[in-house]
Amino acid sequence: MSHGITLTVATNSAATADTTILTEAALAFVADLVRTFRPRVQGLLARRARRQAKFDAGVLPDFLPETAGIRGGNWKCAPVPEILHDRRVEITGPVDRKMIINALNSGANVFMADFEDSTTPTWQNIVDGQKNLYDAIRRTISFEQGAKKYSLDDKTAVLFVRPRGWHLPEKHVLVDGEISPGSLVDFGLYFFHNARELIARGAGPFFYLPKMESHLEAHLWNDVFLRAQDVLGIPRGTIKATVLIETLPAAFEMDEILNELREHSAGLNCGRWDYIFSFIKKRAHDASAILPDRGQVTMDKAFLNAYVQLLIKTCHRRGVHAMGGMAAQIPIKEDAQKNDEALAKVRADKLREVKNGHDGTWVAHPGLVAIAREIFDAHMKGKNQLDVKRDDVHITSRNLLEPTPGTRTDAGLRHNVRVGVQYLESWLRGTGCVPIYNLMEDAATAEISRAQVWQWIKHQAPLDDGSVVSADRFRKTVAEEMDRLANEVGDRFQNGKFQEARAMFERLSLAPRFEEFLTVPAYEAITQEGG
């Protein structure tokens, strides 16, 4: 094509044949973004690797002395439009058609449509997701499943979109012969097609930004926003973006991240599951940082509690929302007692968040929207809690690095294996958001599972029964848990991708070098199959 962009997919594929999304003008816009910013993406990823090498050598993350002036300054972010003043309940999910309709109709204030952790990035999924959002914004979206028909209600949630993180490539889009960052493809296609339409409908191009590790990465996103707005003739500051604080280094740079995006900022969010994964990953070589079973790593203790408190204080000082984390529970229709227990956990989690001063929270299932809203309505009488300054909070680097107390168990090891393999199996089949053991899981689940196993094996971590986690024990455990999964899932075990998932989970858990993201080799696997 004349703008130097090539689509490396079969010419007869449904995705490539789409004439709504993959237009010449849209692809030229994406090519401009990629050509302008790809070198900086690559440079920042290289910086991440250098920084990780220092962590592996024993250096601990800390607040940056060179940015102390930013942390100590009295600046504020630009105001957000009125439509974003009340975000008390947000729902998240993948970009498939039925989910988009149900989430927009759920009664939540915001729906975050996710191209990242809850979407397997096959080319078909990416293009379909863009088309689904295009139709949803124009209110022409519908879906039929048997006798059931789905369409939008008169009142719907405000739409945010989460593009992929900087680390994820898009192999199907080559610009000047080189692979494009998936983040720029997702953002570019969505912004080009929908920014003006959203503005005309009284909303705007609103985003969630994932997995950043430094304010320099936020600076890059801000420059992307500036160029995109300038190219399309949209006023600067129209874009608003909430940053997920879901990496350990980013927790030490919250002020700096907000400062970089201050014209475009819509606050910060506690991306709890990825944050746990990042804590393990960044300190994987540190025997003093080994965590207990995942179920014991809760938001009210140690490093997680510290980062929550600091996030709320930081956001409110800068005049932007501090969003709470995900309630991963889902309603359990077949067991009333288990359902009551799950909903009690949701209520306790949301009560903790609203009392801490959060301005809103996340749920993963439409059935939890009313519960979250009930809690926030009872304890947050205004549209937000920006007036709750949390001047009582004084968080140090030691607080942010304190491991959660608790025990490691054989049951915890086995749970990691089963959940990790099951999620990977679903992801490899093209479904990136899946219920497992009554929790709605996305890629962060498998990341925690294999990262924890990797660290336990490396340090021969002791369990509560006095035994240790060795490579041989892990292999034996995997074999036993695969037999259990075969019984649990029935015929789907033979017809699915469980053996491929097992092989990948074992390889990543036993690798001599910790793989940064499992979704990178997993992406290689699906693209080799033509996905």
Side-chain angles (χ1 to χ4, degrees):
M1 298 180 179
S2 59
H3 41 67
I5 198 166
T6 305
L7 301 181
T8 61
V9 289
T11 56
N12 62 348
S13 76
T16 303
D18 185 271
T19 57
T20 305
I21 301 303
L22 302 177
T23 65
E24 284 281 332
L27 292 173
F29 181 77
V30 169
D32 174 72
L33 293 178
V34 171
R35 199 172 282 122
T36 303
F37 296 109
R38 181 171 53 196
R40 287 173 60 186
V41 174
Q42 294 167 341
L44 287 169
L45 293 178
R47 181 181 183 272
R48 281 188 188 180
R50 293 193 299 271
R51 207 174 183 192
Q52 182 63 52
K54 293 180 179 179
F55 296 150
D56 293 346
V59 175
L60 293 173
D62 205 346
F63 297 101
L64 304 177
E66 62 269 29
T67 56
I70 294 173
R71 293 193 299 277
N74 291 320
W75 53 271
K76 289 188 179 295
C77 296
V80 297
E82 186 175 352
I83 196 173
L84 298 183
H85 286 185
D86 189 337
R87 297 168 59 186
R88 67 189 60 214
V89 182
E90 301 192 345
I91 188 169
T92 75
V95 289
D96 68 81
R97 207 162 180 86
K98 180 180 175 183
M99 176 65 198
I100 288 173
I101 296 171
N102 285 342
L104 288 171
N105 288 345
S106 66
N109 300 72
V110 166
F111 166 47
M112 187 202 77
D114 186 20
F115 282 100
E116 216 232 2
D117 271 1
S118 59
T119 294
T120 302
T122 64
W123 184 236
Q124 191 69 55
N125 283 349
I126 295 298
V127 177
D128 283 351
Q130 293 282 354
K131 180 62 165 61
N132 294 339
L133 293 173
Y134 181 99
D135 291 344
I137 289 163
R138 290 157 180 81
R139 301 189 61 85
T140 60
I141 191 170
S142 62
F143 180 75
E144 294 187 14
Q145 191 174 49
K148 298 190 72 173
K149 296 183 179 180
Y150 300 82
S151 59
L152 292 180
D153 296 338
D154 291 339
K155 181 176 175 56
T156 57
V158 176
L159 180 64
F160 276 61
V161 168
R162 177 163 70 170
R164 281 170 282 181
W166 290 128
H167 62 288
L168 290 170
E170 181 46 77
K171 294 175 66 175
H172 300 94
V173 178
L174 303 183
V175 176
D176 304 330
E178 294 184 35
I179 292 172
S180 300
S183 50
L184 297 179
V185 174
D186 297 343
F187 168 82
L189 289 174
Y190 178 77
F191 187 81
F192 178 84
H193 285 297
N194 301 304
R196 291 192 185 96
E197 186 72 23
L198 286 161
I199 295 166
R201 291 175 178 269
F206 305 142
F207 296 91
Y208 261 99
L209 304 178
K211 295 192 174 52
M212 284 193 277
E213 295 194 7
S214 77
H215 68 286
L216 300 179
E217 297 179 20
H219 183 86
L220 174 56
W221 265 120
N222 198 67
D223 285 350
V224 171
F225 293 166
L226 291 174
R227 185 169 185 88
Q229 289 166 140
D230 289 350
V231 169
L232 293 192
I234 291 171
R236 290 188 170 195
T238 300
I239 293 173
K240 295 296 178 184
T242 302
V243 172
L244 291 125
I245 300 298
E246 51 188 355
T247 72
L248 183 59
F252 292 88
E253 301 183 34
M254 293 189 210
D255 275 304
E256 294 90 330
I257 288 169
L258 288 175
N259 188 62
E260 294 291 353
L261 287 159
R262 57 197 292 179
E263 187 179 12
H264 299 108
S265 179
L268 305 176
N269 170 283
C270 289
R272 61 174 70 173
W273 305 122
D274 271 296
Y275 193 73
I276 295 170
F277 162 56
S278 181
F279 186 93
I280 300 170
K281 174 170 67 172
K282 295 303 174 186
R283 306 184 68 188
H285 292 262
D286 185 351
S288 71
I290 302 175
L291 296 180
D293 290 354
R294 173 188 166 185
Q296 299 178 43
V297 184
T298 54
M299 299 300 293
D300 59 338
K301 297 185 181 73
F303 73 98
L304 286 171
N305 180 59
Y307 120 99
V308 165
Q309 307 294 337
L310 181 59
L311 185 143
I312 295 168
K313 179 178 182 178
T314 303
C315 286
H316 289 183
R317 186 181 179 200
R318 307 307 179 188
V320 289
H321 289 94
M323 302 303 297
M326 170 68 76
Q329 289 81 6
I330 56 178
I332 306 169
K333 297 178 181 179
E334 68 278 5
D335 190 320
Q337 181 178 343
K338 285 186 177 180
N339 187 63
D340 289 344
E341 291 171 356
L343 298 187
K345 289 180 180 179
V346 174
R347 289 190 176 92
D349 183 54
K350 302 313 163 194
L351 184 61
R352 174 191 56 79
E353 288 182 327
V354 73
K355 286 190 171 182
N356 273 337
H358 278 296
D359 302 289
T361 189
W362 273 19
V363 298
H365 191 282
L368 300 182
V369 170
I371 293 172
R373 181 174 295 283
E374 174 190 344
I375 299 295
F376 268 77
D377 283 352
H379 297 275
M380 187 174 82
K381 299 305 182 182
K383 293 182 177 181
N384 50 61
Q385 299 193 86
L386 294 178
D387 59 321
V388 179
K389 300 302 183 185
R390 294 308 311 270
D391 292 330
D392 59 308
V393 170
H394 304 284
I395 300 298
T396 65
S397 56
R398 182 178 179 180
N399 300 140
L400 290 171
L401 296 171
E402 180 187 358
T404 309
T407 56
R408 290 170 294 279
T409 67
D410 180 67
L413 173 63
R414 293 177 182 277
H415 185 79
N416 278 340
V417 170
R418 289 197 310 280
V419 170
V421 170
Q422 284 184 87
Y423 180 80
L424 263 176
E425 192 275 336
S426 174
W427 199 97
L428 292 171
R429 284 190 289 104
T431 302
C433 186
V434 60
I436 303 175
Y437 302 130
N438 302 318
L439 294 177
M440 190 65 75
E441 307 283 20
D442 66 12
T445 297
E447 293 284 29
I448 293 172
S449 298
R450 64 96 183 184
Q452 196 156 54
V453 169
W454 189 96
Q455 190 182 42
W456 289 4
I457 293 171
K458 175 177 176 57
H459 297 289
Q460 300 281 288
L463 303 185
D464 65 341
D465 60 6
S467 63
V468 300
V469 181
S470 65
D472 287 342
R473 178 186 184 147
F474 168 68
R475 293 187 185 96
K476 181 174 182 291
T477 300
V478 171
E480 293 168 354
E481 294 308 305
M482 291 300 290
D483 289 341
R484 175 173 171 176
L485 285 177
N487 290 326
E488 285 183 356
V489 305
D491 292 342
R492 191 162 59 82
F493 189 83
Q494 297 300 327
N495 300 329
K497 292 184 176 290
F498 282 92
Q499 295 309 323
E500 296 97 318
R502 171 188 180 170
M504 184 172 292
F505 189 82
E506 284 188 308
R507 185 169 69 252
L508 291 168
S509 300
L510 294 168
R513 174 184 167 277
F514 189 92
E515 180 71 44
E516 274 283 287
F517 293 97
L518 68 79
T519 45
V520 174
Y523 182 67
E524 291 296 318
I526 62 169
T527 52
Q528 287 172 8
E529 296 179 3

